[in-house]
Amino acid sequence: MDALEVERRLSHVEDRSKSNTHRLDELERRQEDMAELVRSVATIAQKQTDMDRDVREIKADVKLLAAKPGRRWEAITDKALLAAVTGLVGYVLIRLGL
């Protein structure tokens, strides 16, 4: 192998080395982008979990609020019924002269 052949081969190896370095740099950049994407997905998953918990709490609060007028109506009817029974008992007692 003569000096010209060695020089040509060395030049080819250097060119290939530069190409490989460029490719490795590109792969590192893509790997960093992929890692950032994984972090973003993890953040989104955590926010989704938090939002799911919040929705469950809101649903429970809505159920309580929806039941509240029903409980009020029951309390009103109970008091009205009690007043009617008390009035009827009072009327009966007055009629009996007690």
Side-chain angles (χ1 to χ4, degrees), residues 4-41:
L4 188 58
E5 179 67 19
V6 171
E7 184 180 335
R8 187 182 65 76
R9 285 183 142 194
L10 183 59
S11 176
H12 178 67
V13 169
E14 286 177 350
D15 289 343
R16 189 71 180 148
S17 175
K18 287 178 185 176
S19 173
N20 289 341
T21 301
H22 175 71
R23 290 174 59 206
L24 285 173
D25 290 344
E26 179 66 21
L27 284 173
E28 286 176 353
R29 186 190 60 78
R30 286 184 180 188
Q31 185 63 32
E32 289 172 7
D33 291 347
M34 185 67 73
E36 179 64 30
L37 180 61
V38 167
R39 285 190 294 273
S40 295
V41 169

Side-chain angles (χ1 to χ4, degrees), residues 42-78:
T43 301
I44 290 170
Q46 182 60 47
K47 287 182 180 182
Q48 179 68 30
T49 301
D50 294 345
M51 193 177 353
D52 185 49
R53 185 183 63 246
D54 291 345
V55 166
R56 278 189 258 128
E57 289 175 8
I58 290 169
K59 285 174 67 175
D61 291 346
V62 167
K63 284 180 183 179
L64 287 174
L65 289 173
K68 195 172 188 175
R71 288 193 309 261
R72 282 184 182 161
W73 179 252
E74 288 174 3
I76 290 171
T77 55
D78 286 347

Side-chain angles (χ1 to χ4, degrees), residues 89-98:
V89 169
Y91 175 75
V92 169
L93 290 174
I94 289 174
R95 292 299 276 173
L96 291 175
L98 297 175

